[in-house]
Amino acid sequence: MNIAIVGAGIAGLGAAIALRRAGHYVEIYEKSQFKNEIGAAILITPNGHRILRRWGFNFDKARPVDFKQFRYVNASTLEIAKYESFEGVEERFGERMASYHRVDLHSGLREIATGEREGWTAPAKIHLGCEVVGVDSEKGVIELKGGEKISRDLVVIADGCHTAFIPQVAQEDIPVQMIGKSVYRMLAPFAKLREHSDASKLWDDEKPGFVTFFRNDLMIVTYPCRGEELLNVAIFHNTRLEERQKVDWNSSAELSKVLEVLEGCSELVKHIPQTTDVIKVYTVTQRPPALTIHRGKIICIGDSVHHMLPTHAQGGCSALEDAAALEVLLSLHPDSPKPFTHTASNLEKRLKLYQHLRLPRSAPTQILSSLSPQLTMAGLAKKTAELRKFYAGDLPPWPMGTGSWTEPLREFFYSYDVFAEAEDVLKAWDEETGWCEGMEGVAGEGIAGKNRWFGDVGRWAVEDLRDGNGVDREVAR
Ligand SMILES: Cc1cc2nc3c(=O)[nH]c(=O)nc-3n(C[C@H](O)[C@H](O)[C@H](O)COP(=O)(O)OP(=O)(O)OC[C@H]3O[C@@H](n4cnc5c(N)ncnc54)[C@H](O)[C@@H]3O)c2cc1C
């Protein structure tokens, strides 16, 4: 197939790699010029690393930092209130848990998407400065700003959390919601950080990982990236009036405002924002799950579908999972459990299968990520019911999300192998009837094993909504 991808973030670049591997030709339309500063770090957990490794990601070049611990530290006294070890995570899940400078992760993905690779189709073309302003789902046509129309066999929407297209695909408006928190973000050079005499208390004699400072309703998440040269810092604070509209990543913030928020914190904590000239602010948003993510020749992936809070470091990992699922389900290769033959009707069936594979995984990930004692625990019990609309398997014990890095949550998130799940589903799937033998889960019955990650989500959701018994949009927010 000839495929257009809208957006060159983690999801769009991941999809380009995956679809080239599956045997298709790909072009990406990206509205920016990639000149925007996207400096900040990102943690990729083992479920994401499994995918990067299979794609041949150049880890040496990207200089990830492997995480070995999490510390929860009193921002005023620097006392350690909680310690969680990540030793053994790599052994348990067979993959690393490591952070990247976003630019390094992005560059690594871009290199694979646009590089020559033996056995893959031609390198993906990225068209920069091309904003997509309209899509026709039935015809597979995208319209660029300026009026040009481009027709393709498949359009992958990967335009991020402020997507213009999910309402058209899902046939309902699902606006982003603010949770009352904003973030000052910065990258502090370790060399300057260490000029403070207390820095050694926290960063000497300890393996890399999180140091999360807390004070009243302030939460400051820090972790190293880029070979431990930089400390990624995110200061979650109550949104100030002037920050309410700052929902993108590039609004600058003044040091004086940051220091106001840090009032009462230790001198070391106040020293952190003074080590850098670049401080940005943005307001945290999330969105409840979309119930329909494909229509005609369009499939939506990444944050356009599952925009979530950053509490469990799963947004980018889920985007990689989406892309990897497309690779398996649309593979033309003879060694696939069921090689795809391109006809309009076959494509429609495969995209429906994709939705049934991905929503039971991505929607619970989104809902679990909306629970965190530091950010929001609103609607805790009702959220279990919400989860059951999508997912029939065992859940981590309550209170869910109280520790983003606890063992039950690690099992839930990191053990997922999207390649294995997608291949199992494909094997069980009858292309004619659309039925998956042995995979038919019933929401709410607590099915364990493989089929917990699969379900007739579209049908449940739509029928429940019709009965007036469906997903509670207020709760999901
Ligand atoms: C503070 C914070 C911390 C996070 N930490 C983690 C973490 O540790 N681990 C993790 O896995 N995830 C994390 N995430 C989530 C992760 O960053 C996102 O889930 C991920 O970047 C989403 O990728 P995406 O490609 O779907 O969207 P985006 O990265 O938003 O990319 C969308 C792209 O589409 C382009 N675009 C938009 N509209 C158009 C259009 N109309 N036409 C053409 N192009 C368009 C944009 O310019 C952009 O390049 C975090 C998020 C935040 C906010």
Side-chain angles (χ1 to χ4, degrees):
M1 289 188 293
N2 287 307
I3 299 174
I5 298 176
V6 181
I10 296 174
L13 290 171
I17 296 167
L19 291 164
R20 281 185 67 199
R21 286 169 55 85
H24 305 288
Y25 294 88
V26 176
E27 288 179 68
I28 305 181
Y29 297 86
E30 163 59 49
K31 76 172 175 187
S32 78
Q33 294 288 351
F34 278 163
K35 285 181 188 146
N36 286 348
E37 186 268 340
I38 53 166
I42 183 162
L43 176 68
I44 299 295
T45 53
N47 46 321
H49 271 114
R50 228 166 260 137
I51 301 161
L52 293 179
R53 192 170 305 281
R54 181 160 328 180
W55 288 346
F57 188 83
N58 188 338
F59 294 107
D60 289 342
K61 195 165 173 190
R63 295 201 289 155
V65 178
D66 286 297
F67 277 24
K68 295 297 173 197
Q69 50 82 28
F70 166 92
R71 281 171 292 162
Y72 202 49
V73 176
N74 185 311
S76 307
T77 64
L78 300 185
E79 275 168 339
I80 294 169
K82 191 173 166 195
Y83 183 97
E84 193 96 48
S85 170
F86 297 154
E87 296 288 354
V89 165
E90 194 166 340
E91 289 72 15
R92 162 68 190 94
F93 300 105
E95 264 306 341
R96 64 207 292 187
M97 175 174 178
S99 66
Y100 296 79
H101 191 299
R102 276 177 189 263
V103 170
D104 301 336
L105 179 65
H106 203 262
S107 305
L109 289 171
R110 198 175 168 185
E111 222 169 80
I112 312 175
T114 57
E116 294 282 353
R117 297 277 160 136
E118 207 184 319
W120 298 19
T121 54
K125 281 189 203 146
I126 305 182
H127 303 277
L128 295 177
C130 284
E131 182 175 352
V132 175
V133 294
V135 291
D136 180 328
S137 53
E138 295 320 308
K139 295 188 180 135
V141 169
I142 57 171
E143 182 179 345
L144 304 183
K145 194 173 181 179
E148 188 185 347
K149 290 192 176 171
I150 295 158
S151 171
R152 292 289 180 264
D153 299 314
L154 171 66
V155 176
V156 178
I157 301 285
D159 61 342
C161 63
H162 301 298
T163 177
F165 305 112
I166 200 75
Q168 184 181 336
V169 172
Q171 304 252 299
E172 62 167 333
D173 193 18
I174 320 170
V176 292
Q177 298 290 315
M178 294 178 189
I179 62 160
K181 297 281 176 189
S182 296
V183 176
Y184 294 122
R185 68 179 180 89
M186 65 208 78
L187 289 164
F190 258 104
K192 283 196 180 172
L193 209 57
R194 287 186 177 284
E195 285 169 8
H196 196 280
S197 55
D198 282 344
S200 58
K201 279 189 198 163
L202 287 176
W203 288 289
D204 282 357
D205 307 323
E206 188 58 75
K207 290 182 180 168
F210 288 103
V211 172
T212 293
F213 300 97
F214 66 93
R215 182 176 187 275
N216 303 329
D217 46 15
L218 194 64
M219 179 174 72
I220 308 165
V221 180
T222 77
Y223 58 83
C225 66
R226 194 173 271 171
E228 292 189 73
E229 273 174 23
L230 297 167
L231 184 74
N232 179 65
V233 182
I235 303 174
F236 289 80
H237 59 280
N238 292 332
T239 298
R240 294 161 159 216
L241 202 57
E242 71 274 14
E243 292 166 356
R244 279 185 61 82
Q245 301 313 320
K246 297 184 175 173
V247 290
D248 71 24
W249 271 56
N250 277 311
S251 301
S252 295
E254 289 165 32
L255 175 63
S256 59
K257 298 274 183 194
V258 182
L259 291 175
E260 269 176 36
V261 162
L262 297 182
E263 197 52 52
C265 292
S266 75
E267 289 306 311
L268 173 65
V269 172
K270 289 190 216 161
H271 173 66
I272 296 174
Q274 300 183 59
T275 59
T276 173
D277 295 332
V278 183
I279 304 176
K280 303 279 182 174
V281 64
Y282 74 92
T283 289
V284 181
T285 58
Q286 63 174 341
R287 199 189 307 104
L291 308 178
T292 306
I293 56 175
H294 98 88
R295 184 162 301 279
K297 293 180 178 172
I298 291 187
I299 188 84
C300 299
I301 66 169
D303 270 16
S304 76
V305 174
H306 42 68
H307 174 37
M308 61 188 83
L309 295 183
T311 49
H312 298 62
Q314 289 303 312
C317 293
S318 298
L320 294 171
E321 287 179 5
D322 292 345
L326 284 178
E327 174 179 332
V328 175
L329 298 188
L330 295 178
S331 175
L332 299 172
H333 293 299
D335 57 355
S336 155
K338 283 199 178 71
F340 170 57
T341 312
H342 178 222
T343 65
S345 128
N346 283 351
L347 178 62
E348 176 84 25
K349 287 178 186 168
R350 297 258 171 166
L351 296 182
K352 192 170 177 201
L353 186 66
Y354 172 92
Q355 175 169 299
H356 291 181
L357 173 70
R358 285 305 294 152
L359 280 187
R361 168 72 180 175
S362 66
T365 302
Q366 222 177 331
I367 296 167
L368 281 169
S369 294
S370 70
L371 297 168
S372 160
Q374 286 82 35
L375 294 178
T376 168
M377 293 293 272
L380 200 63
K382 282 187 178 172
K383 281 189 175 170
T384 312
E386 175 71 2
L387 263 158
R388 286 294 179 219
K389 298 286 179 196
F390 298 94
Y391 171 76
D394 296 333
L395 284 168
W398 281 110
M400 289 189 282
T402 48
S404 301
W405 321 107
T406 58
E407 267 188 60
L409 279 158
R410 288 183 217 163
E411 285 296 327
F412 191 85
F413 289 126
Y414 310 167
S415 62
Y416 186 81
D417 180 342
V418 63
F419 293 114
E421 298 291 340
E423 276 161 22
D424 279 354
V425 159
L426 206 49
K427 281 180 201 153
W429 185 56
D430 182 323
E431 198 151 5
E432 284 305 308
T433 61
W435 185 252
C436 275
E437 197 59 43
M439 289 282 180
E440 65 282 10
V442 179
E445 290 197 349
I447 295 163
K450 285 286 181 199
N451 59 3
R452 69 192 175 126
W453 293 121
F454 185 76
D456 196 354
V457 176
R459 184 171 58 78
W460 295 333
V462 172
E463 284 179 1
D464 282 347
L465 279 177
R466 212 174 285 138
D467 295 346
N469 182 30
V471 174
D472 183 336
R473 288 288 178 216
E474 288 313 309
V475 170
R477 278 164 195 150

